[in-house]
Amino acid sequence: MTTHAGAAGPVHMQHVQCLPTDAPLAVAWQQAADAIRARLAPWPDEATSPQWRLHAETPVSAGQGDVVWLPLVPEHGLGTLASVSLDAWRASGAVVLCSHALAQGHVEDTLYTPDGVYRVAGLDDPAFFPAFAAFLDCGFAPHDALVLGRAWRTDGSHARVQDVDTLGAWPTVLETFPAVLGQVPSPGRFPACPARLGLYPVLPNADWCERMADLQVGTVQLRIKDPEHPGLRSEIERTVAAGRRVTHNSAWFINDHWREAAQADAYGVHLGQEDMAALSADEVATLHASGMRLGISTHGYFEILAAHHFRPSYLAVGAVFPTTTKVIATAPQGLAKLARYVKLIAPHYPLVAIGGIDAANLPQVLETGVGCTAVVRAVTEADDVAGAVRSMQKEFARRA
């Protein structure tokens, strides 16, 4: 679908149906969702996107592809009968959304999927559920569609006027998005790093990092996944020392091993979404007190909001393209999503695009406006490492 706001003719959802089709509420949802879907384009419509059935009446049974919304959950939670139904629906593969009204027009949502439970709190809007349906139709996973739907505002305040010609009414205003619940407290914003981190090689050992120091590469990450690596401490110390040889905008990060990085007085650390979620409140406070910069990996809108809770130094999003260097549960993001992430995140944090990026597709990636791209094989498998680095750096320089 490539129709955008103001275009002639309706746009109908291809992957979402509101049931029963003759129920007035389902008809109203479908019409409102179609109207919102039309305003979201241009958007690449994937024939392989899941098919969803949204129920305006409580179904007797529900399974894979069914979405059941319970919008008036009382403060004390579901009753016994409803809880039994929820468990049965979820065990059969259904998605169940429970919403609880809070004071002053706010609402708390708990989304139950076969894969997990997601909790957010935000401002209620009469168009929420049709917006949620529209984002499901765009191919987003339910937890990402949830936060996009909650960001939607009937008054249009979720989108920037200057983006309408390219993004339609896509939500790009971070302040309208809900907050992710259930995380440990944030100790405050982490120290800032350069707004545009540029070329960002992610490398397997200190030897490679030292080669980047010789080339005066400003942003580098040492990624050693094995916590039992016999030379881990030495590798980190050598990398930190190499980073100090870079004389301009040196921002070198250590992946995962934040305690060892702090002991080596590293500039910053990079943590995955799961690694960040595993930290206790005391550990997050200790990490913050170290003074190191913090980058966090994300793979979609919900995870972006989860990372935003901690006010990191930068956010990484990916994988943009298919990649063989890391097993990622989510499908490749693609350039259309990346362009929208840039509009949402860049006003608040440096954004790093990662996953399958190389010299050939780098110009396309940079056209989205992203100010940093992490690369792996584009450096480690290059026939001429110095030449590859300089060539990619020139692409960034052209847009500086």
Side-chain angles (χ1 to χ4, degrees):
M1 295 185 179
T2 56
T3 309
H4 58 79
V11 172
H12 298 291
M13 295 189 297
Q14 301 298 310
H15 309 286
V16 173
Q17 185 179 30
C18 299
L19 300 174
T21 56
D22 59 349
L25 179 57
V27 171
W29 280 353
Q30 194 85 37
Q31 292 174 344
D34 282 344
I36 291 172
R37 180 68 175 84
R39 296 176 62 195
L40 296 178
W43 180 255
D45 185 31
E46 299 289 345
T48 56
S49 293
Q51 297 293 318
W52 297 101
R53 297 174 297 276
L54 275 56
H55 295 271
E57 298 175 0
T58 304
V60 175
S61 62
Q64 187 173 0
D66 289 306
V67 178
V68 181
W69 183 31
L70 305 177
L72 300 173
V73 174
E75 183 177 359
H76 59 268
L78 293 171
T80 302
L81 183 60
S83 295
V84 170
S85 296
L86 187 155
D87 291 340
W89 292 333
R90 191 180 176 200
S92 298
V95 171
V96 184
L97 174 61
C98 298
S99 299
H100 165 60
L102 304 174
Q104 299 180 323
H106 286 73
V107 64
E108 182 176 310
D109 297 299
T110 304
L111 182 73
Y112 299 89
T113 76
D115 301 322
V117 179
Y118 306 86
R119 295 178 55 229
V120 300
L123 190 67
D124 199 9
D125 188 279
F128 157 67
F129 203 66
F132 172 66
F135 289 111
L136 283 176
D137 189 66
C138 288
F140 284 92
H143 56 286
D144 286 333
L146 168 64
V147 298
L148 283 162
R150 278 297 176 204
W152 187 270
R153 298 287 184 270
T154 300
D155 64 9
S157 60
H158 60 276
R160 294 185 177 86
V161 174
Q162 62 266 34
D163 298 331
V164 169
D165 289 342
T166 55
L167 302 183
W170 200 273
T172 55
V173 178
L174 185 60
E175 290 76 13
T176 68
F177 279 75
V180 171
L181 301 177
Q183 303 194 92
V184 301
S186 169
R189 193 172 190 111
F190 280 78
C193 58
R196 300 183 71 84
L197 288 161
L199 183 68
Y200 188 172
V202 178
L203 302 167
N205 55 51
D207 288 343
W208 271 106
C209 294
E210 287 168 348
R211 293 177 72 176
M212 295 303 103
D214 293 339
L215 296 171
Q216 291 293 293
V217 177
T219 311
V220 169
Q221 181 185 134
L222 172 69
R223 182 163 70 189
I224 298 175
K225 300 306 293 181
D226 181 8
E228 304 300 325
H229 187 288
L232 179 62
R233 194 175 302 274
S234 174
E235 292 282 311
I236 291 173
E237 291 173 350
R238 285 174 57 195
T239 297
V240 171
R244 292 181 180 139
R245 291 199 280 115
V246 177
T247 58
H248 182 67
N249 285 343
S250 177
W252 283 39
F253 295 84
I254 307 299
N255 184 275
D256 284 354
H257 310 291
W258 63 272
R259 292 182 182 84
E260 293 83 355
Q263 291 170 358
D265 197 22
Y267 175 89
V269 292
H270 180 96
L271 295 180
Q273 188 80 196
E274 299 81 5
D275 300 312
M276 195 71 205
L279 297 183
S280 68
D282 287 345
E283 287 172 324
V284 174
T286 300
L287 175 57
H288 184 267
S290 74
M292 292 187 296
R293 281 74 176 171
L294 172 67
I296 302 177
S297 295
T298 68
H299 307 97
Y301 280 98
F302 185 91
E303 290 190 0
I304 286 171
L305 297 177
H308 170 55
H309 168 78
F310 294 104
R311 304 300 191 270
S313 308
Y314 75 76
L315 292 178
V317 295
V320 178
F321 303 114
T323 177
T324 60
T325 59
K326 188 176 182 181
V327 176
I328 297 176
T330 53
Q333 301 287 309
L335 295 174
K337 284 185 181 179
L338 178 59
R340 286 154 177 79
Y341 295 150
V342 170
K343 292 292 186 179
L344 178 68
I345 300 170
H348 306 275
Y349 302 100
L351 179 62
V352 178
I354 188 169
I357 300 171
D358 56 27
N361 59 37
L362 180 60
Q364 293 174 281
V365 174
L366 295 183
E367 284 301 315
T368 66
V370 71
C372 179
T373 62
V375 297
V376 182
R377 290 176 296 123
V379 171
T380 60
E381 296 183 8
D383 293 331
D384 176 3
V385 172
V389 167
R390 293 190 182 104
S391 175
M392 289 186 284
Q393 286 178 323
K394 285 180 181 178
E395 284 294 332
F396 282 93
R398 287 178 52 226
R399 295 164 174 82

